[in-house]
């Protein structure tokens, strides 16, 4: 039982004042009333009065004293452990309230490449416990609206989806990351593999792999419709690794992000007048402060550029979009 508990059960009065406890801590740490006063920016007589008042209130001596020495009594040592913990908890609470980022941040991302995104987030702030989950744009924004995540890294594809996301994003802040051209993924020996320029009209008789029935499938349908044909979808695969395996075996074509690592198993080619998707970060300003948003955006930009580095042709185009933002992030970190 601590001295505080003894005093309370004995009915000796209210919990001691924090200033008196701070004076006790300072003397215990410095072993000297004068040095404790200097640490607290007050006078030595004030510290002496505060410690004496605390001892009277607790009904026990906390220090042994001679003219040259001050030491903790057994009760003083017991009290020190608990009061030091009180101070530490108070400082942690103050830090949590004033830090730009919460202790935990949950992010929904459209990409399966969450490992590299986690690395970039931790490089920005290693004290935060980051959580990143892969979700398509629509469910991610719904979770954001319900306060289940702090931010959502999303993309828009078709015109109908842009309108739907705009209507569901009221009250959200949105910052564009990049306008990404969608490229054509095709087998290594495909007839179009050596073509310098490919348009949607060149793909009329091709077989297709659709990346699920979500946004990219809608984008494929919209692109082909604009070119005057219906895509012949032979395979539907949600997992990017399955799409890659089908491509490497020459089964069909697919639409793809230019940041996908082909590992030399298939080709990525730009599409002339092809579709694009807008990649953006969405968040609620009341849950993610401006300083925190800057941290997440900086990490997301570096993560995206890191992915694009697997495709030198696309990276050259990307630098014109992200170059200034990345340089600004670098200056802020320094």
């Amino acid at each position: 039982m601590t001295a505080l508990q003894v005093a309370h059960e004995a009915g000796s009065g209210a919990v001691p004042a924090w200033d008196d406890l701070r004076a006790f801590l300072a003397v215990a740490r410095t072993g000297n009333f004068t040095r404790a006063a200097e640490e607290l920016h007050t006078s030595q007589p004030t510290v002496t009065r505060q410690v004496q008042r605390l001892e009277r209130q607790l009904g026990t001596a906390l220090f042994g004293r001679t003219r040259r020495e001050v030491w903790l009594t057994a009760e003083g040592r017991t009290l020190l452990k608990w009061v030091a913990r009180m101070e530490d908890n108070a400082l942690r609470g103050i830090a949590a309230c004033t830090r730009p980022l919460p202790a935990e941040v949950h992010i929904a991302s459209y990409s399966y490449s969450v490992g590299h995104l986690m690395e970039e987030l931790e490089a920005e702030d290693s004290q935060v416990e980051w959580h990143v989950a892969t979700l398509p744009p629509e469910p991610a924004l719904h979770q954001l609206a319900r306060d289940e995540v702090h931010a959502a890294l999303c993309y828009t594809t078709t015109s109908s989806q842009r309108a739907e996301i705009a209507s569901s994003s009221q009250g959200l802040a949105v910052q564009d990351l990049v306008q990404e051209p969608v490229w054509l993924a095709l087998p290594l020996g495909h007839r179009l593999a050596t073509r310098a320029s490919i348009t949607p009209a060149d793909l009329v008789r091709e077989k297709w792999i659709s990346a699920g029935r979500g946004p990219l499938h809608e984008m494929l349908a919209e692109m082909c419709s604009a070119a005057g044909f219906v895509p012949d979808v032979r395979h539907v695969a949600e997992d990017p690794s399955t799409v890659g395996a089908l491509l490497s075996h020459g089964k069909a074509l697919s639409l793809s992000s230019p940041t996908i690592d082909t590992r030399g198993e298939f080709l990525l080619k730009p599409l002339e007048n092809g579709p694009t998707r807008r990649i953006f970060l969405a968040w609620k300003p009341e849950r993610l402060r401006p300083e925190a948003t800057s941290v997440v955006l900086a990490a997301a930009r570096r993560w995206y550029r890191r992915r694009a580095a697997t495709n030198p042709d696309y990276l050259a185009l990307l630098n014109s979009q992200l170059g200034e933002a990345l340089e600004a992030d670098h200056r802020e970190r320094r």
Side-chain angles (χ1 to χ4, degrees):
M1 185 176 292
T2 69
L4 288 174
Q5 290 170 316
V6 170
H8 179 73
E9 292 195 2
S12 60
V15 173
W18 179 242
D19 283 348
D20 294 352
L21 292 171
R22 286 183 68 228
F24 162 74
L25 276 175
V27 175
R29 287 168 177 164
T30 62
N32 184 283
F33 279 79
T34 301
R35 286 197 296 272
E38 292 171 355
E39 182 180 292
L40 296 172
H41 305 289
T42 188
S43 65
Q44 181 268 325
T46 298
V47 172
T48 299
R49 284 195 301 271
Q50 288 172 322
V51 171
Q52 289 174 343
R53 182 166 57 224
L54 181 61
E55 289 178 322
R56 286 196 303 272
Q57 190 170 2
L58 298 180
T60 186
L62 300 173
F63 295 101
R65 304 168 177 83
T66 67
R67 286 191 173 185
R68 295 186 177 182
E69 290 184 280
V70 176
W71 64 92
L72 284 164
T73 63
E75 276 291 294
R77 288 194 297 272
T78 300
L79 183 63
L80 177 62
K81 290 189 297 184
W82 291 93
V83 178
R85 191 175 298 174
M86 288 169 59
E87 181 187 51
D88 182 62
N89 287 337
L91 292 174
R92 286 173 181 269
I94 292 168
C97 290
T98 56
R99 275 177 55 79
L101 282 163
E104 290 187 30
V105 175
H106 294 257
I107 298 174
S109 170
Y110 72 90
S111 173
Y112 283 84
S113 177
V114 297
H116 290 162
L117 179 56
M118 285 282 290
E119 288 176 9
E120 297 297 348
L121 289 165
E122 288 169 355
E124 281 290 329
D125 196 324
S126 60
Q127 296 181 39
V128 174
E129 188 173 337
W130 299 98
H131 302 269
V132 182
T134 300
L135 281 176
E138 188 177 347
L141 289 172
H142 287 165
Q143 285 203 2
L144 183 60
R146 295 194 298 266
D147 292 338
E148 295 175 16
V149 295
H150 293 87
L153 192 57
C154 300
Y155 64 86
T156 58
T157 54
T158 63
S159 55
S160 61
Q161 191 193 24
R162 290 188 184 96
E164 183 179 350
I165 287 178
S167 65
S168 66
S169 61
Q170 294 181 1
L172 301 181
V174 173
Q175 174 66 54
D176 286 354
L177 191 68
V178 66
Q179 190 77 19
E180 181 186 78
V182 176
W183 283 28
L184 182 68
L186 64 165
L188 294 175
H190 193 274
R191 66 180 182 86
L192 297 173
T194 58
R195 286 276 293 271
S197 175
I198 302 173
T199 69
D202 296 322
L203 308 172
V204 174
R205 294 181 177 82
E206 297 296 335
K207 299 178 179 64
W208 289 91
I209 306 163
S210 176
R213 294 292 182 183
L216 282 175
H217 178 78
E218 294 175 14
M219 182 185 293
L220 173 63
E222 191 172 83
M223 178 192 77
C224 295
S225 175
F229 67 97
V230 176
D232 181 7
V233 176
R234 296 298 182 92
H235 307 277
V236 177
E238 298 281 354
D239 184 5
S241 62
T242 304
V243 176
L246 290 168
L247 285 164
S248 66
H249 284 84
K251 297 299 183 183
L253 310 184
S254 180
L255 293 182
S256 172
S257 165
T259 65
I260 294 295
D261 186 359
T262 67
R263 295 182 172 84
E265 296 174 356
F266 55 92
L267 295 176
L268 285 175
K269 303 281 285 186
L271 271 170
E272 189 175 326
N273 300 320
T276 62
R277 62 180 185 176
R278 169 186 164 228
I279 298 175
F280 63 92
L281 183 76
W283 70 96
K284 280 188 175 180
E286 63 268 25
R287 294 200 70 210
L288 208 61
R289 292 161 54 183
E291 301 92 335
T293 305
S294 297
V295 166
V296 177
L297 276 169
R301 289 189 189 105
R302 289 200 314 277
W303 161 78
Y304 187 84
R305 190 180 186 282
R306 181 174 172 179
R307 295 191 70 205
T310 61
N311 185 341
D313 293 335
Y314 176 59
L315 184 60
L317 296 173
L318 177 67
N319 283 336
S320 64
Q321 289 193 61
L322 284 186
E324 290 185 9
L326 286 167
E327 181 60 30
D329 294 338
H330 181 65
R331 287 196 300 270
E332 285 184 16
R333 293 184 79 195
R334 287 188 299 181

